[in-house]
């Protein structure tokens, strides 16, 4: 009898250890803010800085880090992009399954070539999203992105904009949102969770 | 000073020292790390009708190591933007904090469109524990 009980205990503990970590437990472990229930990330149709049409469906099977910014940004965007580039470096081989998509909030100045050049200074694999004002507005609205133009006396301008990074899982679900200011290590931590199949 | 009078002074004094000692040295705890706020159904419609609706405090205070997770639930019929994200109807957003700081967020559930989350450090020192307990007691009392 005792032998049977011991065997049962062994089996139960074995199952407990072998069982995959649940999605809920993973969600709670993220350093980013998590959305629940997970819904499909809003789709968009833009032009990619790589010359191809840009939508999220193109990256099914990869984890997408989606953020909004502009190439003339002197404050938030360079820090965000450097952080994301650092996270990809730290991920090593796993970085091949992570795609950074950076959508412009300044379609009047940012075209595909300009975004490509800007993003390549951080990581050549980053893809920028450009398009008409209407297309960009629609993408911004679907993610709740606000942007405000501030015009200087010389006619030049800057844009204040939402600076969060949206984390979209391999199946296109909007899983989490990392507010601005987190480190590359925080992204690596969360990406490792999201990259689990 | 008579013995009875001395007793009248000594007993409350010892009790006060005891309470202060407990408040300063006993570990602080809260029932949950999640500080839950809900955006009720009809919030957007009421605001569009011209009503001034304040359903979330303009300033939310959290404490690291205690209640350091902001949990927002959108029970409204329309999407709501909370700072870093947009929440669909029925969706919740759980945002953990790891650094003590003041965070300003955009929030469509506020008439002002803004909200502040003040994250304070864990009350490690006796005096900070006392202060934390007094504030908790006061906030619970005033609702």
């Amino acid at each position: 009898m005792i032998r049977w009980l011991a065997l049962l205990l062994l089996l139960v503990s074995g199952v407990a250890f072998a069982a995959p970590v649940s999605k809920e437990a993973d969600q709670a472990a993220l350093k980013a803010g998590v959305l629940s229930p997970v819904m499909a990330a809003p789709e968009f149709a833009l032009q990619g800085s790589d010359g191809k049409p840009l939508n999220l469906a193109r990256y099914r099977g990869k984890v997408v880090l989606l953020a909004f910014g502009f190439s003339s940004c002197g404050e938030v965007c360079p820090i965000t992009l450097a952080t994301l580039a650092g996270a990809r470096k730290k991920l090593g081989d796993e970085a091949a399954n992570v795609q950074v998509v950076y959508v412009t909030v300044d379609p009047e100045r940012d075209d595909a070539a300009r975004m490509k050049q800007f993003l390549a200074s951080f990581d050549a694999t980053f893809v920028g999203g450009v398009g008409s004002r209407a297309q960009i507005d629609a993408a911004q609205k679907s993610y709740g992105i606000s942007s405000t133009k501030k015009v200087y006396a010389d006619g030049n301008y800057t844009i204040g904009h939402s600076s969060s990074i949206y984390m979209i899982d391999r199946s296109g679900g909007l899983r989490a949102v990392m507010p601005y200011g987190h480190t590359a290590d925080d992204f690596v931590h969360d990406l490792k969770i999201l990259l689990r199949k | 000073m008579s013995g009875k009078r001395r007793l009248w002074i000594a007993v409350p004094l010892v009790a006060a020292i005891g309470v202060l000692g407990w408040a300063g040295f006993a570990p602080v705890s809260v029932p949950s790390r999640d500080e839950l706020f809900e955006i009720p159904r009809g919030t957007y419609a009421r605001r569009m009708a011209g009503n001034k609706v304040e359903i979330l405090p303009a300033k939310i205070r959290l404490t690291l190591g205690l209640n350091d997770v902001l949990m927002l639930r959108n029970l409204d019929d329309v999407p709501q933007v909370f700072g870093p994200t947009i929440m669909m109807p029925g969706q919740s957003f759980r945002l953990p904090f790891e650094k003590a700081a003041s965070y300003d967020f955009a929030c469509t559930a506020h008439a002002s469109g803004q909200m502040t989350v003040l994250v304070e450090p864990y009350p490690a020192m006796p005096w900070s524990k006392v202060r934390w307990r007094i504030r908790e007691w006061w906030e619970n009392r005033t609702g």
Side-chain angles (χ1 to χ4, degrees):
Chain A
M1 179 70 179
I2 291 172
R3 211 178 281 170
W4 278 109
L5 277 174
L7 191 66
L8 187 69
L9 195 68
L10 199 69
L11 268 172
V12 168
S13 52
V15 167
F17 279 107
V21 179
S22 73
K23 214 170 224 185
E24 288 75 20
D26 274 356
Q27 289 281 84
L30 293 177
K31 289 179 182 292
V34 296
L35 288 155
S36 177
V38 176
M39 294 180 181
E43 187 54 284
F44 47 74
L46 300 170
Q47 190 198 337
S49 58
D50 56 357
K52 297 175 188 165
L54 179 68
N55 56 30
L56 290 174
R58 193 175 138 183
Y59 299 114
R60 288 288 185 275
K62 289 188 176 191
V63 171
V64 175
L65 298 177
L66 171 69
F68 292 74
F70 62 113
S71 67
S72 313
C73 180
E75 295 167 21
V76 172
C77 300
I79 293 171
T80 299
L81 289 164
T83 303
L84 299 181
R88 281 192 85 255
K89 267 194 192 127
K90 287 185 176 198
L91 272 175
D93 292 345
E94 287 183 285
N97 293 315
V98 175
Q99 179 62 52
V100 172
V101 175
Y102 214 72
V103 176
T104 185
V105 293
D106 187 12
E108 287 77 20
R109 288 189 294 196
D110 285 339
D111 58 17
R114 186 166 168 156
M115 279 299 267
K116 185 176 183 176
Q117 189 186 12
F118 173 60
L119 294 174
S121 62
F122 298 94
D123 186 321
T125 69
F126 290 1
V127 172
V130 297
S132 66
R133 169 49 70 191
Q135 286 173 310
I136 296 297
D137 282 349
Q140 281 189 223
K141 191 181 175 195
S142 62
Y143 283 88
I145 300 293
S146 61
S147 60
T148 315
K149 194 185 255 190
K150 185 183 172 190
V151 182
Y152 298 119
D154 63 1
N156 203 354
Y157 64 86
T158 189
I159 300 173
H161 59 91
S162 308
S163 51
S164 301
I165 297 100
Y166 291 83
M167 306 179 94
I168 298 162
D169 66 22
R170 289 172 183 265
S171 52
L174 180 52
R175 289 274 293 275
V177 185
M178 189 76 92
Y180 173 74
H182 280 263
T183 62
D185 286 335
D186 289 345
F187 279 95
V188 170
H189 173 274
D190 284 8
L191 284 168
K192 284 190 170 178
I193 293 172
L194 294 177
L195 284 168
R196 282 183 205 151
K197 283 192 176 173
Chain B
M1 197 185 285
S2 72
K4 202 174 175 184
R5 193 186 159 93
R6 232 179 270 161
L7 202 65
W8 272 105
I9 296 169
V11 169
L13 195 67
V14 168
I17 292 170
V19 169
L20 204 63
W22 168 82
F25 290 99
V28 288
S29 64
V30 291
S32 167
R33 293 185 81 158
D34 291 3
E35 196 71 33
L36 173 68
F37 295 93
E38 292 182 332
I39 302 168
R41 190 172 183 175
T43 300
Y44 178 76
R46 288 209 299 280
R47 187 157 296 143
M48 287 300 102
N51 299 328
K52 195 182 174 194
V53 187
E54 286 296 354
I55 41 140
L56 298 175
K59 191 177 199 173
I60 292 173
R61 195 189 295 269
L62 302 178
T63 307
L64 283 183
L66 293 169
N67 58 336
D68 51 8
V69 178
L70 185 64
M71 182 81 164
L72 292 175
R73 198 169 286 157
N74 180 17
L75 302 178
D76 205 355
D77 311 307
V78 298
Q80 295 278 2
V81 173
F82 164 68
T85 192
I86 188 165
M87 279 184 296
M88 295 298 149
Q91 220 174 14
S92 63
F93 183 60
R94 184 180 188 275
L95 181 61
F97 290 90
E98 292 183 342
K99 278 185 201 152
S102 179
Y103 300 85
D104 290 321
F105 291 123
C107 183
T108 52
H110 280 92
S112 66
Q114 288 286 321
M115 82 184 269
T116 301
V117 178
L118 182 63
V119 183
E120 297 187 327
Y122 179 80
M125 302 303 287
W127 170 240
S128 56
K129 280 194 177 105
V130 172
R131 208 174 46 188
W132 182 86
R133 282 184 213 279
I134 291 171
R135 203 180 55 222
E136 281 294 295
W137 170 77
W138 180 256
E139 283 175 3
N140 289 338
R141 191 176 153 270
T142 53

